[in-house]
Amino acid sequence: MSDIPLGVLDLVPIPSGATAADALRNSIELARRAEEFGYARYWFAEHHLNPGVAGTSPAVVLALTAAATSTIRLGSGAVQLGHRTALSTVEEFGLVDALHPGRLDLGLGRSGGRPPGAKTPSAATATPVVDGRAPNGLLIPPRFSFARLLGSPRIALQRRLLLLPNAESQEYAEQIDDILALLAGTYRTEDGVEAHVVPGEGADVELWILGSSGGESAEAAGVRGLRFAANYHVSPATVLEAVDGYRSFFQPSDHLDKPYVSVSADVVVAEDEATARELATGYGPWVRSIRTAEGAIPFPTPEEARAHVWTAEDRELVQDRLDTQFVGTPQQVADRLEQLQEATGADELLITTITHGQHDRVRSYELLAEEWARR
């Protein structure tokens, strides 16, 4: 499977007892090591108002990381377009590209914008799911309802702080078109006024659309012939719907002549399964903190995680994520990644790993890279 590239998605997690500065230094070090290990990409997520996550500004972290690495592709997974403009996005990434040309991936997501209205219809899932399994056995758990998150006071506060007073975010598809035009130097208003971004116009950035379902994001990527990234680690129930929807919408473009998909998974790798499961102990309480709309907590130690008193409601909140986290030896995790790739037809895989200890996180990536290169 070494012909299927592996990349990394980093949330810049803050371990309990550490600071945001510690987390940022850890992530930059991990990017350097990932480059040594042979990973193809290193993406940074954007999150806000989470006590345990320091990844608030992907372009800033990318600039710091680009200066500390030399060959690995770097990108955003994803910029939250809902609270920014097309111009600010192109300017930020154009600025980094001016100093580090040809290494940037601009991943675009819908988060942070308009409150959800009518649901965008999703394309039909072509891949059959029987008894919670794809044809090759990949687990596809029941859907998780994000209604609690979307209706939380913290999410409303986040939107209020991110948006200027009385501002209304632009329609997602229109914003993507504006970004494409600004990058290409073809932006015109309806009455013919031109806009040219310096730096930014002509930047050699690779555009990706990130999505969790076969709806608006999959359609936006497909009809424009752009690359698409789906997340099994966040929404495992809808990963097949997302990739099938994207492919059904796809039209060839100047960017791509056929669909191109990346799929993400959460993994923890160690020399033996027992150690890997010990390192992954904090994942359950950490996911719970996100799905209760409290905001991601600092990632707990295994001892801190075991002290959490679980309720039946807690278990239900996180079970799909625990069941679809790939934890074990390099061989076990690589086997499950191969299963994920086969089920989704992914052209690339993206892994994300959170452990309390930085050494354990680095070692997890190293062990997996060695095993993946052997296949």
Side-chain angles (χ1 to χ4, degrees), residues 64-132:
L64 296 170
T65 307
T69 56
S70 58
T71 58
I72 194 169
R73 290 197 66 88
L74 302 169
S76 55
V79 165
Q80 296 181 6
L81 284 185
H83 62 83
R84 58 175 72 221
T85 65
L87 176 61
S88 66
T89 303
V90 172
E91 285 180 334
E92 286 181 359
F93 278 75
L95 194 64
V96 181
D97 177 76
L99 293 173
H100 305 280
R103 294 183 58 200
L104 291 187
D105 301 327
L106 174 51
L108 304 176
R110 289 192 299 131
S111 302
R114 303 171 184 232
K119 184 179 179 181
T120 303
S122 296
T125 301
T127 306
V129 176
V130 179
D131 296 329

Side-chain angles (χ1 to χ4, degrees), residues 13-29:
I14 305 173
S16 63
T19 66
D22 295 329
L24 288 163
R25 282 189 286 266
N26 285 345
S27 288
I28 293 170
E29 179 200 354

Side-chain angles (χ1 to χ4, degrees), residues 19 51-52 89 116 162 183 220 261 293 327 358:
T19 66
T89 303
L162 287 171
L183 285 169
V261 174
V327 180
Q358 173 72 354

Side-chain angles (χ1 to χ4, degrees), residues 17-335:
T19 66
D22 295 329
L24 288 163
R25 282 189 286 266
N26 285 345
S27 288
I28 293 170
E29 179 200 354
L30 189 57
R32 286 198 299 261
R33 300 303 303 277
E35 183 175 71
E36 295 172 8
F37 300 152
Y39 285 89
R41 301 181 191 273
Y42 201 98
W43 282 5
F44 290 99
E46 178 182 341
H47 291 279
H48 300 276
L49 301 183
N50 286 282
V53 174
T56 58
S57 304
V60 175
V61 185
L62 287 169
L64 296 170
T65 307
T69 56
S70 58
T71 58
I72 194 169
R73 290 197 66 88
L74 302 169
S76 55
V79 165
Q80 296 181 6
L81 284 185
H83 62 83
R84 58 175 72 221
T85 65
L87 176 61
S88 66
T89 303
V90 172
E91 285 180 334
E92 286 181 359
F93 278 75
L95 194 64
V96 181
D97 177 76
L99 293 173
H100 305 280
R103 294 183 58 200
L104 291 187
D105 301 327
L106 174 51
L108 304 176
R110 289 192 299 131
S111 302
R114 303 171 184 232
K119 184 179 179 181
T120 303
S122 296
T125 301
T127 306
V129 176
V130 179
D131 296 329
R133 299 279 177 176
N136 74 339
L138 179 73
L139 178 62
I140 305 295
R143 286 175 181 262
F144 174 79
S145 173
F146 289 90
R148 178 174 182 173
L149 274 173
L150 296 172
S152 77
R154 190 184 69 85
I155 299 299
L157 173 61
Q158 174 178 302
R159 183 172 185 272
R160 182 169 70 84
L161 290 174
L162 287 171
L163 287 173
L164 291 171
N166 302 315
E168 189 62 61
S169 55
Q170 187 180 6
E171 290 285 354
Y172 182 58
E174 292 177 3
Q175 207 165 6
I176 293 171
D177 288 337
D178 284 353
I179 288 171
L180 287 168
L182 290 168
L183 285 169
T186 59
Y187 184 90
R188 307 286 188 279
T189 64
E190 291 182 358
D191 53 357
V193 180
E194 300 180 5
H196 297 281
V197 185
V198 180
E201 185 174 307
D204 187 17
V205 298
E206 196 169 271
L207 207 64
W208 290 74
I209 304 298
L210 277 70
S212 297
S213 71
E216 185 176 357
S217 297
E219 181 177 10
V223 300
R224 290 163 180 79
L226 300 173
R227 293 167 177 81
F228 184 69
N231 47 42
Y232 185 70
H233 80 285
V234 170
S235 186
T238 58
V239 67
L240 297 180
E241 171 194 313
V243 298
D244 288 349
Y246 163 66
R247 292 189 179 106
S248 73
F249 287 122
F250 186 84
Q251 299 175 25
S253 69
D254 293 339
H255 307 280
L256 288 175
D257 60 358
K258 61 182 179 180
Y260 195 92
V261 174
S262 175
V263 177
S264 62
D266 196 289
V267 313
V268 178
V269 183
E271 280 83 355
D272 60 84
E273 184 176 1
T275 300
R277 296 207 171 277
E278 173 74 0
L279 296 176
T281 306
Y283 189 65
W286 186 78
V287 172
R288 176 198 169 277
S289 70
I290 298 171
R291 287 191 164 180
T292 54
E294 298 169 8
I297 59 173
F299 199 81
T301 65
E303 294 75 21
E304 291 168 337
R306 281 192 287 269
H308 178 77
V309 179
W310 287 92
T311 65
E313 184 182 20
D314 281 348
R315 295 283 184 192
E316 186 177 357
L317 272 178
V318 305
Q319 198 61 54
D320 65 323
R321 295 281 293 271
L322 294 178
D323 291 342
T324 55
Q325 187 186 32
F326 300 164
V327 180
T329 65
Q331 295 80 11
Q332 290 172 321
V333 171
D335 285 347

Side-chain angles (χ1 to χ4, degrees), residues 326-347:
F326 300 164
V327 180
T329 65
Q331 295 80 11
Q332 290 172 321
V333 171
D335 285 347
R336 294 189 69 182
L337 286 171
E338 286 188 344
Q339 183 185 46
L340 176 64
Q341 188 279 326
E342 180 185 55
T344 60
D347 300 284

